């Protein structure tokens, strides 16, 4: 009889809190439509791993199914790079090729990485009991890429014990882009700046250019930041499949079946890292707070960079486009267009915003690789 009630007797308040958090994530996915493809499986994974005995993670000394997924997909970095293949197959880089200066906006919007790393390092020095070293600070700071797969990729190498909170912060704030970005943009711009119109070239990009772009970017990034190749290379491989024109079925599979399957497994596996013993710690709240700081600095960095650029340029850029330089694709670009339309319904800046957003996707992968290369060098 005792066996029948051992699960009930093993419940504790902390596990109930975590199951409640999982329920909140599912609610946000279903009711608010906030990144449902990720928040729903993450939320359910959190519920599964906080049930009595957490059999999905480990049972009677044997690895459970979700621990197997974690070992095979997260620790080996397979899930994040497969996501990049799928994302690459979804992106049309022609908008960026037409307006290459948007690459600078994507780079500027990565300012949140360095601002957050500095903040975390200072926090570690102020409160040494938190046990924050440079690798942990970098893993948290990579939230400034505003890119979930990159954050997971770096955290799995530098601080896998923080992987759960970092992944939840990354995807939660990506879902909250429509709430986080507008106040920052409005605080840093005037109405006159938000009314700036932009010309957009409708010239046709040759197929040769579209095919050469992912190859050239991969080679250049591989020379400048070799550690970034797993991220940039797989992103560009997905795009090459798309643009080659001879792998239509594979391109569609990457955009649909591959993206859906890996996202599903990634989400529920990340949720399974949210066991109450690891998640209900002061560090979790710190990571969630710093994730917000990273997204704010990302947005501010892009907007301020455009304002500085406009001081020396005859052809003005709407500063809101700078905010689209973060890697939250395509949510940020859509938000910028929506804000422009609110100021002037006839102002159409979606394509420049998409260009900056695509640049942010590339820049985030390169930035992640640079962090992976620079931090070990500093520690040596």
């Amino acid at each position: 009889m005792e066996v029948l009630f051992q699960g009930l007797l093993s419940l504790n308040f902390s596990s109930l809190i975590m199951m409640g958090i999982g329920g909140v994530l599912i609610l946000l996915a279903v009711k608010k439509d906030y990144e449902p493809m990720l928040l729903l499986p993450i939320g359910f994974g959190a519920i599964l791993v906080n049930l009595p005995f957490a059999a999905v993670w480990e049972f009677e000394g044997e690895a459970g199914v979700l621990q197997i997924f974690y070992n095979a997909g997260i620790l080996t970095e397979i899930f994040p790079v497969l996501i990049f293949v799928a994302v690459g197959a979804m992106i049309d880089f022609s908008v960026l090729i037409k307006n290459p200066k948007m690459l600078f906006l994507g780079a500027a919007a990565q300012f949140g990485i360095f601002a957050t790393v500095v903040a975390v390092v200072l926090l570690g020095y102020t409160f040494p009991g938190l046990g924050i070293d440079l690798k942990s600070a970098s893993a948290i700071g990579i939230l400034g890429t505003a890119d979930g797969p990159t954050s997971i990729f770096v955290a799995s190498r530098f601080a896998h014990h923080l992987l759960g909170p970092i992944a939840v912060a990354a995807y939660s704030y990506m879902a909250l882009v429509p709430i986080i970005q507008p106040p920052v943009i409005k605080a840093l711009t005037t109405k006159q700046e938000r009314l700036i119109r932009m010309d957009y070239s409708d010239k046709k990009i040759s197929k040769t250019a579209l095919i050469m772009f992912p190859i050239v970017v991969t080679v250049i990034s591989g020379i400048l930041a070799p550690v970034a190749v797993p991220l940039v290379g797989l992103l560009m491989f997905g795009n090459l499949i798309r643009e080659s024109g001879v792998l239509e079925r594979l391109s569609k599979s990457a955009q649909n079946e591959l993206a859906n399957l890996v996202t599903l497994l990634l989400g529920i596996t990340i949720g399974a890292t949210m066991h109450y013993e690891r998640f209900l710690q002061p560090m979790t709240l710190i990571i969630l707070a710093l994730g917000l700081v990273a997204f704010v600095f990302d947005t501010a960095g892009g907007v301020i960079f455009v304002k500085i650029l406009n001081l020396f340029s005859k052809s003005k850029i709407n500063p809101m486009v700078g905010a689209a330089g973060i890697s939250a694709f395509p949510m940020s670009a859509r938000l910028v267009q929506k804000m422009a339309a609110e100021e002037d319904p006839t102002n159409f800046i979606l394509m420049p915003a998409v260009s900056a957003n695509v640049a942010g996707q590339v820049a985030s992968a390169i930035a992640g690789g640079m962090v992976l290369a620079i931090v070990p060098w500093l520690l040596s």
Side-chain angles (χ1 to χ4, degrees):
M1 194 68 178
E2 182 180 343
V3 175
L4 295 176
F5 292 99
Q6 63 179 350
L8 181 62
L9 295 172
S10 298
L11 280 175
N12 59 61
F13 186 63
S14 296
S15 62
L16 291 175
I17 290 176
M18 288 307 303
M19 285 192 276
I21 291 173
V24 169
L25 294 176
I26 293 173
L27 183 65
L28 289 173
V30 175
K31 289 290 186 180
K32 299 294 184 179
D33 199 31
Y34 289 163
E35 287 289 323
M37 285 187 65
L38 277 160
L39 291 192
L40 192 148
I42 288 175
F44 196 71
I47 292 173
L48 286 174
V49 81
N50 285 284
L51 289 170
F53 304 110
V56 294
W57 188 258
E58 185 177 0
F59 190 68
E60 296 183 350
E62 298 290 333
V65 61
L66 293 186
Q67 186 179 162
I68 293 172
F69 285 155
Y70 176 80
N71 293 337
I74 302 295
L75 292 184
T76 62
E77 302 159 0
I78 288 175
F79 287 170
V81 296
L82 286 179
I83 289 288
F84 265 78
V85 174
V87 171
M90 297 176 191
I91 293 178
D92 179 5
F93 281 113
S94 65
V95 293
L96 181 58
I97 297 173
K98 291 177 184 178
N99 201 356
K101 68 180 179 181
M102 290 298 171
L103 279 170
F104 295 107
L105 273 63
Q110 307 307 312
F111 176 70
I113 299 173
F114 308 102
T116 309
V117 169
V118 171
V120 177
V121 169
L122 291 175
L123 188 67
Y125 278 118
T126 306
F127 301 100
L130 292 173
I132 298 175
D133 57 13
L134 184 57
K135 283 192 172 183
S136 297
S138 302
I140 297 170
I142 208 67
L143 287 168
T145 61
D147 182 58
T150 303
S151 298
I152 293 170
F153 188 87
V154 174
S156 66
R157 289 198 177 191
F158 280 176
H160 56 82
H161 60 291
L162 300 177
L163 184 59
I166 287 173
V168 171
Y171 285 112
S172 296
Y173 288 126
M174 282 174 64
L176 295 175
V177 160
I179 297 174
I180 296 171
Q181 284 201 309
V184 180
I185 294 172
K186 289 185 177 180
L188 295 173
T189 58
T190 64
K191 183 175 179 64
Q192 185 176 4
E193 288 174 326
R194 295 194 294 272
L195 288 171
I196 292 176
R197 292 173 175 268
M198 296 179 63
D199 295 326
Y200 180 75
S201 173
D202 58 355
K203 64 180 179 181
K204 186 77 172 176
I205 301 297
S206 69
K207 184 175 180 179
T208 301
L210 291 173
I211 291 175
M212 288 302 299
F213 180 81
I215 298 172
V216 170
V217 170
T218 301
V219 172
I220 293 175
S221 65
I223 294 171
L224 298 179
V227 187
V229 171
L231 295 175
V232 179
L234 272 294
L235 177 73
M236 292 301 156
F237 174 62
N239 187 252
L240 182 60
I241 292 174
R242 171 196 176 101
E243 300 298 350
S244 68
V246 295
L247 297 173
E248 187 66 25
R249 287 167 55 190
L250 289 183
S251 175
K252 290 182 178 178
S253 295
Q255 295 177 49
N256 296 289
E257 289 83 2
L258 179 64
N260 294 335
L261 180 60
V262 179
T263 300
L264 176 69
L265 294 178
L266 178 68
I268 198 166
T269 305
I270 290 299
T273 66
M274 295 170 62
H275 191 269
Y276 69 86
E277 290 181 350
R278 297 186 295 271
F279 201 85
L280 293 181
Q281 302 290 338
M283 183 57 71
T284 299
L285 294 177
I286 291 171
I287 289 171
L288 292 173
L290 289 169
L292 178 59
V293 170
F295 272 67
V296 169
F297 273 109
D298 272 349
T299 303
V303 172
I304 292 172
F305 180 78
V306 171
K307 288 167 71 77
I308 294 172
L309 204 63
N310 282 345
L311 295 175
F312 308 97
S313 176
K314 291 182 179 180
S315 179
K316 305 299 183 184
I317 300 174
N318 191 311
M320 292 193 295
V321 171
I326 70 171
S327 183
F329 177 85
M331 294 172 290
S332 189
R334 291 173 181 168
L335 171 70
V336 166
Q337 172 56 38
K338 180 181 178 183
M339 292 183 67
E342 288 173 355
E343 300 288 345
D344 177 5
T346 65
N347 191 8
F348 189 76
I349 61 171
L350 178 61
M351 296 315 292
V354 169
S355 302
N357 215 176
V358 168
Q361 190 74 58
V362 177
S364 70
I366 295 175
M370 290 180 67
V371 168
L372 288 173
I374 292 172
V375 170
W377 175 74
L378 290 174
L379 291 175
S380 66

